[in-house]
Amino acid sequence: MDDRSWMYRDSPQGLRRMDYCNGVQGFINFATSIPRNFTDGGIRCPCRKCKNLKFLHQDVVTMHLLTKGFMEDYLCWYAHGELFVPDESMEEQVVGSTSSASNMHEVGNENNNPYRNMVMDAMRMSEGNVRECPIVEEEPNADAARFFDLLRDSDEPLWDGCTNHSKLSVVAQVFTIKSDHGLSEAGYDKIIEWARSILPEGNRLKENFYTAKSMMKPLGLGY
């Protein structure tokens, strides 16, 4: 089994260690990589309060784990697709339900959404300490709520059925084009107006520079 001592390591009050924050993201990546973990769009929450008894959206699970920590004795994520398989020496070996022990760790920590990682990094940096990240409240304050909105935006497709662009990724990329080529706000709005006219109906592209800038403000990007 990969080292999971981060799950129960003591942290300074009010903060989580960076390895804990990264580990939580790795757990979420692993749990959501197995389709049968989902029930009504949620996965089991292994926090100290829910103890795998509740199915919640992955962002809520993330918030619970950052707030409350993992339930006791959950080094093996058995409720999320892992099994204990004793070998001849009676040592515990953890095997993913859809993968071998050799690649299970890679699945759980795959950097498969750079825009979600960008939001997570901004959450940590907002506390002024790149080695630790904040423990959010049960009911997040306005700033925390905006970060969790961005986490959802990083996963939400630009339109239903879109597989290569999210609501956040498109805004981030168009902002980069604006910055690199000195595009005015009026020019940005014209491009967006044209793009929305050729995208499928019901697309989630922000309609102008003002709304897009408000969306990106928590990331501290000075466009």
Side-chain angles (χ1 to χ4, degrees):
M1 181 194 304
D2 56 316
D3 181 11
R4 291 180 183 169
S5 60
W6 56 267
M7 292 175 63
Y8 302 106
R9 188 175 295 133
D10 291 337
S11 304
Q13 186 175 6
L15 292 168
R16 290 289 189 193
R17 294 171 58 93
M18 178 65 82
D19 59 349
Y20 183 86
C21 298
N22 291 336
V24 167
Q25 186 60 56
F27 165 77
I28 294 295
N29 288 348
F30 175 77
T32 56
S33 72
I34 302 175
R36 72 163 179 254
N37 282 340
F38 288 88
T39 296
D40 295 330
I43 61 174
R44 291 185 184 274
C45 179
C47 77
R48 292 181 182 271
K49 181 178 179 180
C50 297
K51 297 182 178 179
N52 281 327
L53 298 177
K54 294 183 178 180
F55 287 86
L56 303 173
H57 187 276
Q58 65 191 64
D59 290 339
V60 179
V61 175
T62 299
M63 181 173 66
H64 278 205
L65 292 176
L66 291 176
T67 305
K68 310 172 190 303
F70 283 87
M71 59 186 282
E72 293 183 359
D73 300 322
Y74 199 56
L75 287 174
C76 174
W77 302 334
Y78 54 83
H80 297 85
E82 291 182 347
L83 296 173
F84 277 122
V85 181
D87 59 20
E88 294 180 356
S89 64
M90 299 302 292
E91 295 180 353
E92 290 175 336
Q93 180 182 8
V94 179
V95 181
S97 63
T98 60
S99 61
S100 68
S102 62
N103 64 20
M104 182 275 296
H105 177 74
E106 294 178 5
V107 172
N109 292 280
E110 183 180 4
N111 182 14
N112 54 7
N113 189 335
Y115 296 96
R116 169 175 276 269
N117 293 339
M118 178 176 68
V119 176
M120 293 294 289
D121 288 343
M123 289 177 68
R124 298 165 190 144
M125 292 296 292
S126 72
E127 292 297 305
N129 190 328
V130 298
R131 298 189 63 186
E132 296 170 321
C133 68
I135 298 177
V136 296
E137 300 295 333
E138 174 71 12
E139 295 296 330
N141 58 32
D143 289 337
R146 282 192 287 269
F147 277 118
F148 283 107
D149 286 342
L150 282 172
L151 284 174
R152 284 189 288 271
D153 291 341
S154 72
D155 289 325
E156 188 172 13
L158 185 58
W159 66 85
D160 292 341
C162 178
T163 60
N164 57 348
H165 294 293
S166 70
K167 187 176 176 181
L168 175 60
S169 72
V170 167
V171 171
Q173 291 175 52
V174 179
F175 267 31
T176 298
I177 293 172
K178 177 185 182 301
S179 177
D180 289 348
H181 298 280
L183 195 63
S184 68
E185 293 183 16
Y188 180 101
D189 289 348
K190 283 294 185 181
I191 289 177
I192 295 302
E193 181 182 1
W194 170 78
R196 285 171 60 87
S197 72
I198 63 174
L199 289 174
E201 185 176 353
N203 70 81
R204 301 176 180 92
L205 180 62
K206 288 293 185 180
E207 58 269 23
N208 54 44
F209 179 76
Y210 177 79
T211 58
K213 185 176 181 179
S214 297
M215 172 186 176
M216 300 292 282
K217 185 177 180 180
L219 299 179
L221 302 177
Y223 293 100

